[in-house]
Amino acid sequence: MKRREFLTTAIGGATVAVCPGAEARPNHEPAPEAVGMLFDSTLCIGCKACVAKCKEVNDMPPVIDAEQQSWDSARDLSGDTLNVIKVYTDGSGETKDAEVDGFCFEKRSCMHCVDPGCVSVCPTTAMRHDPITGIVTHHSDVCIGCRNCMMGCPYNVPQFEYDELYGQIQKCQMCNQAGVERINNGQMTGCAEACPTGATLFGSRTLLLEEAKQRLTLKPGEIYNYPRGDIASPDSYHEKQVANYKQHVWGEKEAGGTNVLHISAVSFDKLGMPPLEERSASSIAEGVQHTLYNYLALPAIVLAGLTYVVKRNTDSDSDGDES
Ligand code: SF4
Ligand code: SF4
Ligand code: SF4
């Protein structure tokens, strides 16, 4: 750890010293025509129809638990599961959407970040961000299996198929990868289509963000007509009493924003969302990286780091010889 801390400090200091103009680029902006989803935790009943539909669309096998041997019981994302419903409980767990003594459901799948870390760290462009739709896709034909994307994702989304001989990265591609292409064919995502309550709603990010903000203005207990399917042309509506929403649309701003938005009556830190600043990690890392290359300073900094490591190792060996 000490060596890592030293190197980080040394490289940071050297960067500023050698490249005084090193600075982050701005976050990428959401694509004007980006598509996405709005997950409203207060509407989710935990039926997991979205999980089953996701497996059907993506041709993925069930995950059979040793205790529950008769049905898919995936508890987390994996190489075989691109979408999972998790349960929050507190205390007696009696009241839906109550943070204390309550429970609620939370969906986990790719957030389709506006400024995605997975794309930024991928050395081969296997991870790509579509500038029109905003969808982030993985392309196995050019993936070298380095797994940088797993480290670059703040949501722990990309999963590696460790149990396969020629394992690949798997993640939700918003049902728009080669061979599926639901969005390109004018369909909505599988999970939004299957959701019976509209908890997972598909559509334009702009419209979904407006809808999310509108819901946050509603009074708890009042009746609202919730759309189901695609927000631009809902399959149907259903009336429901409004829950006590937290005044926060997750994904409006976090790390540059996401095309998948979440709202909830339970705070997002309790639902396991990571603490994120508004500035994306990609904007900082790419800004510094480009500056380093512009100043042709990177080789000198790497050499300084390697020299330190070799010197430390040599000193330790000498110390060992003397004892
Ligand atoms: S959630 Fe993770 S995998 Fe999905 S786009 Fe964002 S960084 Fe990439
Ligand atoms: S968008 Fe498609 S791949 Fe992503 S979670 Fe929904 S059904 Fe699964
Ligand atoms: S289908 Fe809809 S209601 Fe059912 S678990 Fe998925 S998001 Fe929740």
Side-chain angles (χ1 to χ4, degrees):
M1 273 306 286
K2 282 184 180 163
R3 180 178 301 165
R4 184 181 302 156
E5 283 162 13
F6 176 90
L7 281 172
T8 306
T9 308
I11 288 173
T15 304
V16 172
V18 177
C19 323
E23 60 182 28
R25 64 157 170 78
N27 284 350
H28 290 320
E29 292 294 318
E33 297 183 24
V35 292
M37 292 186 280
L38 170 61
F39 176 74
D40 184 336
S41 169
T42 74
L43 300 180
C44 182
I45 54 174
C47 67
K48 299 189 183 176
C50 55
V51 179
K53 184 69 179 181
C54 181
K55 296 230 169 187
E56 179 194 315
V57 169
N58 292 285
D59 195 21
M60 292 206 150
V63 174
I64 306 295
D65 191 289
E67 293 166 20
Q68 300 279 9
Q69 296 206 349
S70 49
W71 61 78
D72 186 354
S73 46
R75 294 186 183 175
D76 216 335
L77 300 178
S78 73
D80 290 332
T81 302
L82 310 183
N83 172 43
V84 76
I85 295 293
K86 297 196 162 210
V87 190
Y88 163 83
T89 54
D90 177 79
S92 63
E94 284 170 2
T95 312
K96 173 86 163 71
D97 298 316
E99 198 161 294
V100 177
D101 286 335
F103 71 98
C104 74
F105 301 101
E106 174 71 347
K107 188 176 189 285
R108 281 287 182 279
S109 59
C110 178
M111 301 294 284
H112 294 275
C113 301
V114 172
D115 200 347
C118 61
V119 172
S120 179
V121 298
C122 177
T124 69
T125 70
M127 281 287 185
R128 290 174 210 163
H129 176 254
D130 187 295
I132 307 292
T133 63
I135 297 174
V136 179
T137 46
H138 175 256
H139 300 261
S140 56
D141 53 337
V142 290
C143 177
I144 55 171
C146 67
R147 287 168 256 167
N148 279 1
C149 55
M150 295 170 75
M151 304 296 288
C153 172
Y155 298 98
N156 200 22
V157 164
Q159 300 287 316
F160 190 71
E161 296 171 322
Y162 289 105
D163 50 354
E164 300 282 335
L165 184 56
Y166 300 106
Q168 272 293 339
I169 291 289
Q170 295 287 355
K171 75 172 219 37
C172 155
Q173 322 243 50
M174 220 189 274
C175 294
N176 209 41
Q177 68 274 33
V180 175
E181 292 181 302
R182 287 176 68 97
I183 311 306
N184 289 350
N185 291 325
Q187 292 174 279
M188 69 182 93
T189 55
C191 51
E193 183 181 279
C195 180
T197 66
T200 299
L201 187 63
F202 174 76
S204 129
R205 182 184 192 269
T206 305
L207 292 181
L208 292 172
L209 185 55
E210 281 173 19
E211 174 72 16
K213 288 183 171 176
Q214 155 78 4
R215 290 182 191 181
L216 301 197
T217 66
L218 302 172
K219 290 196 173 59
E222 88 178 79
I223 299 295
Y224 186 68
N225 231 356
Y226 286 95
R228 188 188 162 281
D230 184 333
I231 188 155
S233 53
D235 293 347
S236 57
Y237 290 84
H238 70 99
E239 290 186 343
K240 180 188 169 299
Q241 273 195 336
V242 172
N244 192 5
Y245 286 113
K246 295 289 177 202
Q247 295 298 306
H248 185 175
V249 180
W250 183 279
E252 181 184 11
K253 293 185 176 156
E254 280 79 11
T258 53
N259 293 318
V260 176
L261 307 167
H262 285 218
I263 53 176
S264 170
V266 174
S267 24
F268 287 110
D269 58 334
K270 300 238 183 295
L271 299 183
M273 285 299 202
L276 294 175
E277 304 291 330
E278 289 187 15
R279 173 56 62 86
S280 74
S282 317
S283 70
I284 299 167
E286 286 179 23
V288 171
Q289 186 187 7
H290 290 163
T291 309
L292 289 173
Y293 277 106
N294 283 345
Y295 282 81
L296 294 176
L298 193 60
I301 292 170
V302 170
L303 182 62
L306 288 173
T307 304
Y308 167 75
V309 172
V310 170
K311 184 169 186 320
R312 273 290 294 263
N313 288 347
T314 311
D315 289 349
S316 325
D317 288 350
S318 308
D319 292 349
D321 290 347
E322 284 166 12
S323 61

